[in-house]
Amino acid sequence: MFFCCVTGILQHMRLADFIVKEPMVIGHECAGVVEEIGNEVTHLAVGDNVALEPGVSCAHCSHCKEGRYNLCDEMKFFATPPIHGSLANFVVHPASLCFKLPENVSLEEGAMCEPLSVGVHACRRAGAGPHTKVLVMGSGPIGLVTLMAAKAFGSPRVVVVDVDENRLKMAQELGAHEVVCVSTRIEDVEKEVLEIQQKMAADVDITFDCAGLEKTMRTALKATRSGGEVCLVGMGHVEMKVPLTAAAAREVDILGVFRYRNTYQLCIDMISSGRINVKPLITHRFGFSQEDVVKAFNVSAMGGSAIKVMFNI
């Protein structure tokens, strides 16, 4: 089993409105080898490498029947309190959510289908394509996969914004056309919007806010052209004060993104075909001893050069 280390819940004991109230197993970005299958499973065999889509919906509610199963109120999602996660030697999971990996896609890359799915779903929601110039706020793991997805969807120009020069360097290496290093001060929004627009050298059609902070949303709403779209992907702040009336007067649409739906096979195909290369995002690798686990989570929590920290269980 390969598993990507994510420290948000471990550090803060919550993610948005999902709060840890009792001990739980973490982990939701994973891939592994099939050890056993049910009698009615025909598309998988023992020994197959698979990527696991971590959310099990009810399949009966109106959202599920409409195909928007990511919005299911009864969703049981790995490592979303109180559901246990996948950081374990064995996981029992529905066969329909186990996606066979082709020979040229590794288990590590299979685990990366989970974060990549967020970027792919965001691009679908916002209609990214050859006709859209894209701004990405935040160059953490989700910002970087959103950059990669936007380019794979054909966006001709992508500008990435962050407060961290090292992360912006990685964004450039992954194909960002321009980057802008900004401050954390709200009062700098106006001048930073001008710099963003200059770097874009065209109207910003879509902005993906992959941080979800008050400042990043303020910047996104101001930088995006009239009639454009702002896609809120990150969940940094539960509440924020933003200039909605001014944005509404310019018909800037705000789209929410929650997880993803029907993305895994596309992600696998994109990785297999070479349209997206997730390997550079895997910066650290660890085993599964007590010492390795502590070290891995410390490395991930410190940030710096760490993007995705991988466990080989």
Side-chain angles (χ1 to χ4, degrees), residues 153-197:
F153 273 69
S155 295
R157 193 164 182 81
V158 183
V159 174
V160 178
V161 174
D162 202 283
V163 298
D164 189 320
E165 292 276 13
N166 291 326
R167 289 294 176 92
L168 290 174
K169 182 179 179 182
M170 174 60 78
Q172 286 183 304
E173 293 173 358
L174 293 175
H177 297 91
E178 293 283 354
V179 297
V180 179
C181 190
V182 297
S183 75
T184 58
R185 297 186 299 272
I186 291 283
E187 55 267 27
D188 291 338
V189 166
E190 296 292 343
K191 70 176 184 180
E192 289 170 355
V193 165
L194 290 176
E195 184 178 0
I196 290 167
Q197 292 172 334

Side-chain angles (χ1 to χ4, degrees), residues 101-169:
L101 299 175
E103 291 186 2
N104 68 332
V105 176
S106 68
L107 286 171
E108 287 189 340
E109 292 170 300
M112 290 297 295
C113 286
E114 201 285 332
L116 180 58
S117 285
V118 178
V120 166
H121 180 53
C123 286
R124 281 178 168 172
R125 281 277 286 156
H131 59 292
T132 57
K133 273 76 70 181
V134 167
L135 173 64
V136 177
M137 304 294 300
S139 58
I142 296 302
L144 293 176
V145 294
T146 302
L147 156 67
M148 298 166 81
K151 288 178 62 66
F153 273 69
S155 295
R157 193 164 182 81
V158 183
V159 174
V160 178
V161 174
D162 202 283
V163 298
D164 189 320
E165 292 276 13
N166 291 326
R167 289 294 176 92
L168 290 174
K169 182 179 179 182

Side-chain angles (χ1 to χ4, degrees), residues 126 203-206 221 224-230 246-254:
D203 286 338
V204 176
D205 299 303
I206 302 170
L221 291 169
T224 305
R225 68 167 174 82
S226 297
E229 294 175 321
V230 171
R250 297 192 299 114
E251 294 193 355
V252 176
D253 293 336
I254 300 174

